Amino acid sequence: MAVAQRPGADHCGIAAAVSVIDGKWKVSILWELEQRPRRFGELRRLVPGVSEKVLAAQLRELEVDGIVHREVYDEVPPRVEYSLTPLGQDLNDALAPLGAWGTRRLLSSDGSGGSDGTREPA
């Protein structure tokens, strides 16, 4: 599958990565798909606050970017499952240190983000 090139994402690796996860719900979607493949309705329930329209749009964008695979089963009623592609798994692996940083920030006593509660001078 060809991966879509986003404008402005070709000059910096971080910008290219962030352009893939720039939707409000995409990181939550990636987290849920890390656990196991999910159906649309499951994702809708597991990502509270997301509308069906936005969930469908963000899943489509992740599919176009090669992060999510959409499997349509030839059944009645129709069944569709979403799962991470190898590229999506790589993205989740890359996001793991960012998640660890966020957890440390949440757990710090004053919210400064420093491991010892101090903030480096600017």
Side-chain angles (χ1 to χ4, degrees):
M1 166 183 274
V3 176
Q5 182 70 25
R6 292 178 185 247
D10 58 352
H11 67 285
C12 171
I14 292 174
V18 170
S19 74
V20 173
I21 59 170
D22 65 353
K24 179 177 180 178
W25 306 104
K26 287 183 181 177
V27 174
S28 296
I29 293 167
L30 291 172
W31 167 257
E32 292 302 338
L33 293 177
E34 172 75 17
Q35 310 308 307
R36 64 181 178 83
R38 305 279 189 180
R39 295 178 71 175
F40 185 87
E42 284 181 283
L43 287 170
R44 176 80 171 84
R45 285 188 302 276
L46 292 168
V47 182
V50 67
S51 69
E52 286 186 30
K53 179 181 176 180
V54 171
L55 179 59
Q58 295 208 339
L59 283 167
R60 266 192 307 274
E61 289 175 14
L62 289 167
E63 186 180 7
V64 167
D65 288 333
I67 304 300
V68 168
H69 172 71
R70 181 177 185 264
E71 181 75 29
V72 180
Y73 293 90
D74 189 23
E75 298 176 354
V76 177
R79 179 169 59 113
V80 177
E81 280 188 350
Y82 296 90
S83 60
L84 291 177
T85 63
L87 188 61
Q89 184 61 54
D90 286 348
L91 177 58
N92 267 1
D93 292 345
L95 289 172
L98 183 62
W101 179 88
T103 299
R104 286 191 308 274
R105 180 169 168 78
L106 287 173
L107 296 176
S108 67
S109 60
D110 64 351
S112 68
S115 60
D116 62 355
T118 62
R119 178 174 280 182
E120 293 291 320

